[in-house]
Amino acid sequence: MNLPFSLGFTSWGFFAALALLVALSRLLPRRALPTLLLGASLLYYLALAPAALPILAAATVVVYFCGRLTAKDKSAAAGFGVAAALLLLAVTKYLPALLGSKFSIITPLGISYFVFSAISYLCDLRKGKLPPERDFGRLALYLFFFAKITSGPIEKAGDFFASLDELEKGDKPFENRQGFLLILSGCIRKLAISDLLSGAVAAVFDAPAGQSGLAVFGATLCYTLQIYGDFAGYTDLARGSALLLGVPMSENFIHPYAATSIKDFWRRWHISLSSFLRDYVYIPLGGNRKGKARKQLNVLIVFVLSGIWHGVGFTFLLWGLLHGLLQIIEDFLPWREKLKARFGERSALYLVPSVTVTFLLVAFCWMPFRAADMATYGALLKALAHPGSLSGAWRTLGLSLPDLLTVAAAFFASDRLKKAALPAKIPAKAPEKAPIPKRPTAARTLPMRKVAEPAVSAPAPREEKRGGSLTPAFPGCLLLAAAALLLLFLAAKSGSGGSFIYIGF
Amino acid sequence: MKLLNLLAFSFGFLPFRLPLSAVILLIAALCFAFRFRRTGKGAPLAVFMLLAAAAFALLLLFADPLAAVPALLLCGALLLPAKKGGKRK
């Protein structure tokens, strides 16, 4: 089925469909919303990858029955389900890539996220963290939910079902303001950071021969920012859309490039994947409980698996291996800890070198991740040895000063939007008893009830109103919405606005 | 003040009113600057606003919509509350 319009997260088609869905969600009773969301999610997947739908539908049935059987025989059924999910991933994602034209099968869109969600559900069942889901529709919604099927976040089944329970009961109001702000932030990150820098990255990484070292360095920095803008933008759009429909999803990024070490970086980057690998791979392998050497080995295994998960090829494997090795080296060379102990954790003398070194290491690791193959990566590394001229590198990248200003402003704007989207702090509860005025006042002569009420309750509603209201953020939001609309118009007009990087994984 | 901002960016969207939009935005930025100066708070914010507005105005005068994006983003971000949850002191 070829749609006459795009359904990408930054397309008009998607926004129109989302608006319709939001309108329907406000009209229908709360108990009907999971059904509405499941219908919308299946339609969305059908529109994007119709041929793959039967494969994932069959997998959902297997996961459902394995889940039901897990209640009776905990290890066998869950183990079978996990093995079946991994087999599906291997057959549909890795075999076609490894065997080339000898083996042809459809790779379902979002297969990695689908399989990870299924594994998370079955493993949590086996551990007894949640009861088996009796409602097939709710399980199908967990696996197919349109906001997370293509690129995550990898939600834990327990959290997702708890959100659905709250949605059905109608305990919580819809988070319209937060959802809108997150969508705005996502649009800005995708259109004003990722799409703007993609040309500069492609100019070098797609034609590595004869590039200068400075051009490669510049393109690597651009890719470092591009992939963050792209994936964090996607996540914001997904979380914002889900919030508008009453389903909160977990945060995936917390200022990853402000990390002070590689370990810290993985606490801030793709948090849902890091948590998944920690809970379902690192800890079952023994974590840090079996000695230092075993801990290092476990770290290495986890990061190699993470690399393989991202794609087939030695470039991804190398990327995972580099991250694993850097973490091990960090353990043996604790220079950051020494700086921290000497100058304090808020000192610039600790933060500036730690953050800069971590950022450069992470950027260096992105090189094989973006390179098409190992030969390209080798050519890029060779080019680094010959810096070349700054003006030549600037011309190669094809960026202008307004472009750089746009990227900087977009980072700033999205950061502010994320802060504004966070729930307002609830002011501390006023004391039960009204404070007794030191001096007698005219009011004190009135009956006590009349005096106490305003004295206790007056400040609280005002704070709540200011914290929860859209008003303080309104002018800024209006400008940012104008910028996002302008970018959307320009992207639609020029036919640019490529797909999201992580959809390929 | 808020009405002025609203007006500035309503006009800003209409390409044939670009110079007018730029002028209105500059006035709005100046008002911000004076207000912050009077209250003694947020002077750097006012300066940034002014610079951003000036850049926006200049870029808009060249009628390049893409070039107007950074100014829009910068002005918008500066107008958002810096505190979590949209609270302002």
Side-chain angles (χ1 to χ4, degrees):
Chain A
M1 177 166 48
N2 286 324
L3 291 174
F5 51 84
S6 165
L7 271 179
F9 272 15
T10 48
S11 65
W12 294 113
F14 175 77
F15 287 125
L18 181 67
L20 182 68
L21 199 55
V22 170
L24 282 173
S25 70
R26 302 304 187 270
L27 293 173
L28 291 171
R30 286 290 190 111
R31 66 178 183 282
L33 292 190
T35 314
L36 174 74
L37 292 182
L38 177 62
S41 298
L42 290 175
L43 275 177
Y44 183 72
Y45 198 84
L46 195 66
L48 291 180
L53 188 63
I55 299 174
L56 295 195
T60 307
V61 173
V62 172
V63 172
Y64 175 75
F65 283 109
C66 285
R68 293 298 301 273
L69 288 172
T70 305
K72 293 174 188 168
D73 180 1
K74 287 200 170 179
S75 17
F80 174 77
V82 170
L86 287 173
L87 187 70
L88 177 69
L89 185 66
V91 169
T92 55
K93 185 174 174 179
Y94 296 104
L95 272 188
L98 288 172
L99 299 178
S101 57
K102 290 175 195 167
F103 185 82
S104 177
I105 194 170
I106 299 159
T107 304
L109 180 73
I111 181 69
S112 309
Y113 292 93
F114 181 93
V115 165
F116 272 25
S117 298
I119 291 174
S120 167
Y121 169 68
L122 291 169
C123 287
D124 284 353
L125 274 184
R126 187 171 174 267
K127 286 178 191 168
K129 286 185 177 174
L130 75 158
E133 184 55 56
R134 288 172 178 278
D135 187 340
F136 181 76
R138 276 164 60 101
L139 180 69
L141 178 57
Y142 167 62
L143 295 172
F144 273 98
F145 186 41
F146 78 94
K148 72 181 186 69
I149 180 82
T150 52
S151 302
I154 305 160
E155 285 295 299
K156 295 225 166 156
D159 297 341
F160 190 83
F161 292 136
S163 302
L164 283 188
D165 288 340
E166 280 186 352
L167 180 68
E168 279 180 294
K169 283 178 194 163
D171 291 345
K172 282 170 78 177
F174 289 103
E175 303 275 9
N176 296 328
R177 176 177 172 273
Q178 283 186 45
F180 171 72
L181 292 177
L182 282 174
I183 287 175
L184 203 50
S185 167
C187 280
I188 288 169
R189 279 177 165 172
K190 170 66 179 156
L191 298 165
I193 299 174
S194 176
D195 287 355
L196 199 69
L197 293 172
S198 62
V201 176
V204 174
F205 277 83
D206 293 350
Q211 297 290 359
S212 71
L214 281 173
V216 171
F217 183 67
T220 304
L221 291 186
C222 286
Y223 185 64
T224 306
L225 302 180
Q226 185 204 351
I227 194 165
Y228 174 56
D230 195 278
F231 197 17
Y234 169 87
T235 306
D236 285 349
L237 282 159
R239 291 181 65 220
S241 310
L243 259 186
L244 286 179
L245 296 162
V247 184
M249 293 205 296
S250 51
E251 177 59 283
N252 236 0
F253 297 92
I254 304 173
H255 299 292
Y257 294 143
T260 53
S261 64
I262 298 292
K263 205 177 283 176
D264 188 26
F265 172 77
W266 281 101
R267 281 188 214 113
R268 298 157 173 265
W269 177 275
H270 204 169
I271 298 166
S272 62
L273 176 69
S274 309
S275 309
F276 179 90
L277 291 172
R278 183 196 61 210
D279 294 345
Y280 304 111
V281 182
Y282 180 70
I283 292 174
L285 281 173
N288 57 3
R289 303 185 305 273
K290 295 189 176 178
K292 205 169 181 180
R294 183 63 190 270
K295 180 198 159 191
Q296 312 297 8
L297 181 67
N298 290 343
V299 168
L300 210 56
I301 291 170
V302 164
F303 278 94
V304 166
L305 281 178
S306 170
I308 294 170
W309 175 80
H310 277 88
V312 186
F314 285 108
T315 49
F316 292 110
L317 187 71
L318 181 64
W319 172 77
L321 199 64
L322 281 172
H323 272 278
L325 287 174
L326 283 171
Q327 288 210 36
I328 293 170
I329 292 169
E330 267 177 9
D331 274 0
F332 286 104
L333 295 173
W335 61 273
R336 292 177 178 89
E337 280 71 26
K338 285 178 184 167
L339 282 179
K340 192 176 171 181
R342 184 161 182 189
F343 300 112
E345 64 178 359
R346 288 180 178 270
S347 163
L349 291 170
Y350 157 65
L351 286 174
V352 171
S354 304
V355 172
T356 310
V357 168
T358 306
F359 177 78
L360 290 174
L361 286 174
V362 169
F364 179 73
C365 290
W366 285 127
M367 279 178 73
F369 194 89
R370 175 60 176 82
D373 48 39
M374 287 302 279
T376 307
Y377 179 54
L380 292 167
L381 282 183
K382 266 186 198 168
L384 280 176
H386 309 286
S389 71
L390 196 63
S391 57
W394 185 252
R395 272 198 304 276
T396 307
L397 293 174
L399 290 170
S400 64
L401 277 174
D403 289 341
L404 295 187
L405 184 64
T406 304
V407 171
F411 267 106
F412 182 44
S414 59
D415 186 49
R416 279 279 173 100
L417 277 170
K418 293 295 288 290
K419 273 183 184 162
L422 286 170
K425 282 180 186 171
I426 298 164
K429 207 176 173 183
E432 290 293 323
K433 288 181 182 177
I436 299 163
K438 286 177 184 172
R439 285 181 295 177
T441 58
R444 221 179 163 191
T445 58
L446 294 171
M448 198 58 195
R449 196 156 52 96
K450 285 187 180 174
V451 180
E453 275 178 7
V456 174
S457 58
R462 194 179 163 208
E463 282 299 308
E464 273 171 20
K465 192 182 170 190
R466 287 177 71 185
S469 162
L470 187 66
T471 316
F474 183 68
C477 285
L478 199 69
L479 285 194
L480 294 176
L485 282 171
L486 195 57
L487 284 165
L488 276 169
F489 272 120
L490 291 170
K493 198 177 163 188
S494 66
S496 62
S499 67
F500 290 90
I501 294 171
Y502 261 71
I503 284 180
F505 303 141
Chain B
M1 178 54 68
K2 278 170 191 162
L3 185 66
L4 204 58
N5 273 314
L6 198 66
L7 274 174
F9 291 102
S10 319
F11 284 124
F13 239 151
L14 304 172
F16 52 89
R17 296 273 177 89
L18 292 181
L20 179 61
S21 154
V23 171
I24 291 174
L25 187 66
L26 270 174
I27 294 167
L30 279 169
C31 292
F32 262 100
F34 280 118
R35 197 185 79 173
F36 285 123
R37 197 174 171 187
R38 187 163 47 80
T39 55
K41 284 180 185 175
L45 180 74
V47 172
F48 271 116
M49 266 290 296
L50 199 60
L51 287 174
F56 179 46
L58 281 172
L59 291 168
L60 280 180
L61 283 173
F62 286 105
D64 181 357
L66 191 60
V69 171
L72 273 173
L73 290 174
L74 204 60
C75 290
L78 285 167
L79 285 170
L80 279 182
K83 298 278 176 186
K84 282 181 184 178
K87 274 179 79 176
R88 275 199 291 198
K89 276 187 180 178

